[in-house]
């Protein structure tokens, strides 16, 4: 056996497959920065210029944000979570105080709308932070004409 084959199966510290020269992007930190509606890169620049309209680039660090693809995931997550909270709250309230359906409607409709409006922007920011950390949809500065999931160029 040669010396090279003796060391072939030993782990190498700091070995990165594929993304050797790229800086780390911690997933949890990026999502938390997005939840605070801050830039996932620096954590201090504003992420939104309108209610749900992200900035094109961070005013502090210059990170491009314009190519995010949050699409339908934030509303889906908001509906999923708030639906469970609202239905659970309605059912527990109804077990303790049997109220008419109109009273429940008067109570739970404004609560549901307020929770949805208050949580939509932070959830969208968290999705943008997730995409930034995972280098999805152009956040990795790769050629946009190449789709690595399909193994070839886009047509």
């Amino acid at each position: 056996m040669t010396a090279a084959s003796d060391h072939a199966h030993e782990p190498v510290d700091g070995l990165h497959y594929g993304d050797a020269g790229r800086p780390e992007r911690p997933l949890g930190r990026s999502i938390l920065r997005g939840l605070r509606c801050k830039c996932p890169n620096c954590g201090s620049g504003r992420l939104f210029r309108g209610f749900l309209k992200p900035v094109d680039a961070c005013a502090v660090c210059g990170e491009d944000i314009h190519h995010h693809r949050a699409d339908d995931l934030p509303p889906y997550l908001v509906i999923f979570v708030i639906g469970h909270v609202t239905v659970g709250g309605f059912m527990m309230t109804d077990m303790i105080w049997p109220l008419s359906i109109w009273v429940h409607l008067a109570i739970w409709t404004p609560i549901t709308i307020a929770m949805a409006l208050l949580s939509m922007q932070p959830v969208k920011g968290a999705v943008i932070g997730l995409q930034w950390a995972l280098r999805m949809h152009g956040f990795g500065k790769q050629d946009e004409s190449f789709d690595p999931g399909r193994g070839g160029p886009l047509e």
Side-chain angles (χ1 to χ4, degrees):
M1 284 184 121
T2 64
S5 65
D6 290 341
H7 300 288
H9 297 290
E10 291 181 17
V12 178
D13 290 336
L15 183 62
H16 296 281
Y17 295 100
D19 295 342
R22 298 173 114 176
E24 296 264 340
R25 291 183 175 180
L27 183 64
R29 184 184 71 190
S30 302
I31 292 173
L32 287 175
R33 286 178 175 177
L35 273 171
R36 292 190 341 252
C37 300
K38 299 293 183 183
C39 172
N41 184 37
C42 66
S44 57
R46 291 180 46 167
L47 187 57
F48 294 97
R49 66 174 176 225
F51 178 61
L52 292 176
K53 184 71 175 168
V55 296
D56 290 332
C58 177
V60 176
C61 68
E63 179 72 26
D64 285 332
I65 307 290
H66 66 86
H67 39 63
H68 79 89
R69 298 278 312 224
D71 297 335
D72 294 336
L73 183 59
Y76 173 79
L77 293 174
V78 168
I79 290 169
F80 183 78
V81 171
I82 291 177
H84 281 81
V85 170
T86 303
V87 170
F90 164 76
M91 292 173 73
M92 286 191 294
T93 304
D94 196 45
M95 287 175 54
I96 296 170
W97 299 292
L99 304 171
S100 73
I101 194 68
W102 295 108
V103 174
H104 280 295
L105 191 63
I107 293 170
W108 292 104
T109 300
I111 290 173
T112 303
I113 292 170
M115 285 192 314
L117 290 175
L118 291 174
S119 63
M120 183 61 73
Q121 190 180 44
V123 169
K124 185 170 183 174
V127 170
I128 293 172
L130 171 76
Q131 291 176 354
W132 180 84
L134 297 178
R135 293 181 166 87
M136 297 170 67
H137 308 297
F139 283 118
K141 308 284 188 212
Q142 295 174 344
D143 183 10
E144 292 290 324
S145 65
F146 184 79
D147 184 3
R150 297 179 186 228
L154 297 172
E155 294 184 29

